[in-house]
Amino acid sequence: MNKQLISPSYRPLYDQIKVLITQSLIGGEWRPGEMIPSEFELAARYKVSQGTVRKAIDNLAAENILIRRQGKGTFVATHKADVTKLRFLRLTSVTGDKELLENKFISCIKTKADSYISKILGVKVGAATIEVKRLLTFSGRPLIYDHIIVPAASFKGLNGAKVEESKGSMYSMYESQFGVRMIRAEECLKAVVAEKEVASALGLKEGYPLLSIERVSFTYGDKPMEWRLGLCLTDDHHYLSELE
Amino acid sequence: MNKQLISPSYRPLYDQIKVLITQSLIGGEWRPGEMIPSEFELAARYKVSQGTVRKAIDNLAAENILIRRQGKGTFVATHKADVTKLRFLRLTSVTGDKELLENKFISCIKTKADSYISKILGVKVGAATIEVKRLLTFSGRPLIYDHIIVPAASFKGLNGAKVEESKGSMYSMYESQFGVRMIRAEECLKAVVAEKEVASALGLKEGYPLLSIERVSFTYGDKPMEWRLGLCLTDDHHYLSELE
DNA sequence: GAGTGGTCTAGACCACCAA
DNA sequence: TGGTGGTCTAGACCACTCA
């Protein structure tokens, strides 16, 4: 039996199931790290065959939103697990040394969105935002100067203490403290030179070349939730990119 | 009926089919741009069901090795098509202007692989290589200084004339002239400062910050076939990276 | 052994394209 | 109208995990 409804714009069933599952994720029915119902249970719930649910889950797994584990079940992806802790960090040591990243908190203040940030985060100009600055060090040496802006509405109560507690993994902290899970990010890279404030934080002379990484992170439903500018020293590290 | 053979290390049938299809691609049975047989034909040929062939093709399509077109057929991906012409170029104009890239040939000489290149390209130290230098300009302004090294054995007869004819798309030229199709690439990015030779080619002062993109490209079977170092001016352009 | 995801099949029907 | 890929189903069996 074909369950395809009369639809002006054709949409495969598995896509509709995918939307339903995503909605349950947004609604918090299944939280990060938890197991979702089995394929057969979902098939019964949505009144479709197991194969159709399977395809929907396949797509979500390909986007790293769900994690399949044979013999165990399907789980909501999380930034908490060790392996995925720094999933968006593409900077790796040239020598392949084990990373000993440390987080040095600099500041956390309340600000208002200017026109640039409002456009990126999809909030009104002047909307309340929270601005964090921090320094990531590698084996004691400064590596990245981070400047982070998030909408205050979604991160009520975010402060310096929470940033310090996060031990460097902001995403893990967003998840456990605010229930905001990032699923995707876009980065724009440039080569720039260190300006005064950054140069002193990184212990460099002004004019030193830095890799500028501007990142926008998205939560479920492709909603932008964080803007970030990282200025990175790439003497002993490089940014890895795989093209397919 | 399950066609799974007795195998010490379990390998799904569709994976085996994928290997068979890949071998036909390597062997040149179906050339870039051509249509491969329909799913049913391949299913008959390999004595499996259409669904199994489908899954194998799905995987190859996800890797951009094959291109599916509903109603028409499945085609071998190529770098010739306009849309995929500069598939590996992630540098885009900040303003979103239409790109008018031009290729300025600088040099093409015969060289020998040093230990670094030999390791990367998987050839012996001292093996014959061909070294190309060129300048890519955007609307007349220098943008990228490229330094390219390929193994001479796979590119017999590559010379300056062929590079000039390529109009900037080396991959398209590799494909039509040498039957070498790149399917994947890895890039390492760093921020550096312009050295003398590069600075003069790009019309900059020494010490100007540049984005250094070191790329290794792979052909079928993950065989490395090109090393490339691009030094890019990122005043009006940035490198886009999507993280999932 | 029970439960989960993973594979494979066979067949029906739909959407898209070209002649 | 015929051929291609795309969707959906139902059912069988395999591989993995854990109690």
Side-chain angles (χ1 to χ4, degrees):
Chain A
M1 179 174 40
N2 186 350
K3 304 282 178 41
Q4 198 58 54
L5 306 175
I6 316 118
S7 51
S9 60
Y10 173 71
R11 193 96 187 270
L13 243 190
Y14 65 79
D15 252 12
Q16 302 176 38
I17 303 299
K18 185 179 161 186
V19 171
L20 292 174
I21 294 175
T22 304
Q23 281 169 354
S24 287
L25 290 170
I26 296 173
E29 181 176 347
W30 311 308
R31 306 191 67 81
E34 286 181 12
M35 188 176 119
I36 70 170
S38 77
E39 295 178 352
F40 277 104
E41 281 178 77
L42 291 174
R45 166 160 162 185
Y46 300 129
K47 304 264 184 1
V48 297
S49 80
Q50 176 253 3
T52 301
V53 169
R54 182 173 191 75
K55 181 132 185 173
I57 293 180
D58 275 347
N59 287 343
L60 290 165
E63 293 168 32
N64 294 309
I65 292 174
L66 296 177
I67 310 285
R68 320 191 75 134
R69 288 189 216 158
Q70 181 168 158
K72 299 176 83 171
T74 301
F75 299 77
V76 183
T78 171
H79 286 275
K80 278 173 208 158
D82 282 353
V83 272
T84 59
K85 198 148 200 172
L86 298 165
R87 188 154 67 83
F88 291 159
L89 186 66
R90 294 295 170 92
L91 219 59
T92 61
S93 165
V94 171
T95 55
D97 288 355
K98 196 155 186 296
E99 299 288 345
L100 291 165
L101 280 174
E102 264 185 86
N103 188 29
K104 281 200 178 178
F105 172 72
I106 297 176
S107 67
C108 176
I109 59 172
K110 287 176 183 167
T111 54
K112 291 188 188 310
D114 59 23
S115 69
Y116 182 69
I117 291 295
S118 79
K119 209 174 194 175
I120 286 176
L121 295 183
V123 297
K124 284 187 184 135
V125 175
T129 52
I130 298 170
E131 192 172 321
V132 173
K133 290 185 180 179
R134 64 166 185 175
L135 188 68
L136 287 178
T137 62
F138 168 72
S139 303
R141 298 209 311 284
L143 179 63
I144 307 176
Y145 180 88
D146 259 337
H147 180 184
I148 300 168
I149 297 179
V150 295
S154 301
F155 295 91
K156 283 202 174 76
L158 174 59
N159 55 35
K162 285 201 163 65
V163 175
E164 295 207 67
E165 282 166 28
S166 78
K167 305 257 179 191
S169 178
M170 298 286 286
Y171 293 119
S172 168
M173 186 262 288
Y174 292 157
E175 225 174 79
S176 58
Q177 302 287 311
F178 303 97
V180 175
R181 194 184 120 67
M182 304 300 187
I183 58 169
R184 197 175 76 76
E186 287 176 4
E187 295 189 332
C188 289
L189 283 73
K190 274 175 176 285
V192 299
V193 291
E195 286 174 14
K196 206 175 169 188
E197 181 188 352
V198 177
S200 74
L202 288 170
L204 303 170
K205 283 185 291 191
E206 277 186 62
Y208 204 87
L210 295 175
L211 182 63
S212 154
I213 306 179
E214 183 176 8
R215 179 196 293 174
V216 182
S217 301
F218 301 81
T219 187
Y220 296 126
D222 265 348
K223 191 164 184 288
M225 287 297 269
E226 186 203 56
W227 173 88
R228 183 183 288 207
L229 182 67
L231 294 166
C232 313
L233 234 185
T234 53
D235 290 356
D236 305 318
H237 288 71
H238 49 214
Y239 182 100
L240 277 182
S241 178
E242 308 220 324
L243 313 181
E244 284 200 343
Chain B
M1 178 174 41
N2 185 353
K3 303 279 178 39
Q4 198 59 55
L5 305 176
I6 315 118
S7 51
S9 60
Y10 174 70
R11 194 97 188 270
L13 243 190
Y14 65 79
D15 252 12
Q16 302 177 36
I17 304 299
K18 186 178 160 186
V19 170
L20 291 175
I21 293 175
T22 304
Q23 282 169 353
S24 287
L25 290 170
I26 296 173
E29 181 175 348
W30 312 309
R31 306 192 66 81
E34 286 181 11
M35 189 176 117
I36 70 170
S38 77
E39 296 178 351
F40 277 103
E41 281 180 77
L42 290 174
R45 167 161 163 183
Y46 300 130
K47 303 264 181 9
V48 298
S49 80
Q50 177 253 3
T52 301
V53 169
R54 183 172 190 75
K55 180 132 186 174
I57 293 180
D58 275 347
N59 287 342
L60 289 165
E63 293 168 31
N64 294 309
I65 292 175
L66 295 177
I67 309 285
R68 320 190 75 134
R69 287 189 216 160
Q70 182 168 152
K72 299 176 81 173
T74 301
F75 298 78
V76 182
T78 169
H79 286 275
K80 278 175 209 158
D82 281 355
V83 272
T84 59
K85 197 149 199 173
L86 297 166
R87 188 154 67 84
F88 290 158
L89 185 66
R90 293 296 169 93
L91 219 58
T92 61
S93 165
V94 171
T95 57
D97 289 355
K98 195 155 190 297
E99 299 287 344
L100 291 165
L101 280 174
E102 264 185 85
N103 188 28
K104 280 200 180 177
F105 172 71
I106 297 175
S107 67
C108 177
I109 58 172
K110 287 178 182 168
T111 53
K112 290 189 189 308
D114 60 23
S115 68
Y116 182 69
I117 290 294
S118 78
K119 211 174 192 176
I120 287 175
L121 295 182
V123 297
K124 285 186 184 136
V125 175
T129 52
I130 298 170
E131 192 171 323
V132 172
K133 290 186 180 178
R134 64 167 185 174
L135 188 68
L136 287 177
T137 62
F138 168 71
S139 303
R141 298 208 311 284
L143 179 62
I144 307 176
Y145 179 87
D146 258 337
H147 180 184
I148 300 168
I149 296 179
V150 295
S154 301
F155 295 90
K156 284 203 172 76
L158 174 59
N159 54 35
K162 286 201 163 67
V163 175
E164 294 207 70
E165 281 166 28
S166 78
K167 304 256 180 193
S169 177
M170 297 286 286
Y171 293 119
S172 169
M173 187 264 287
Y174 292 158
E175 223 173 80
S176 57
Q177 302 286 311
F178 304 97
V180 174
R181 196 185 117 66
M182 304 300 187
I183 58 169
R184 196 174 77 76
E186 287 177 3
E187 295 189 333
C188 289
L189 283 73
K190 273 175 177 287
V192 300
V193 292
E195 287 174 13
K196 205 174 169 189
E197 181 188 353
V198 177
S200 73
L202 289 170
L204 303 169
K205 282 185 291 190
E206 276 186 63
Y208 204 87
L210 295 175
L211 182 62
S212 154
I213 306 179
E214 184 177 7
R215 178 196 294 173
V216 182
S217 300
F218 301 81
T219 187
Y220 294 125
D222 265 349
K223 192 166 185 288
M225 288 297 270
E226 185 204 56
W227 174 87
R228 183 184 288 207
L229 182 66
L231 294 166
C232 313
L233 234 186
T234 55
D235 290 357
D236 305 319
H237 288 71
H238 49 214
Y239 181 101
L240 276 182
S241 177
E242 309 220 325
L243 312 180
E244 283 202 343

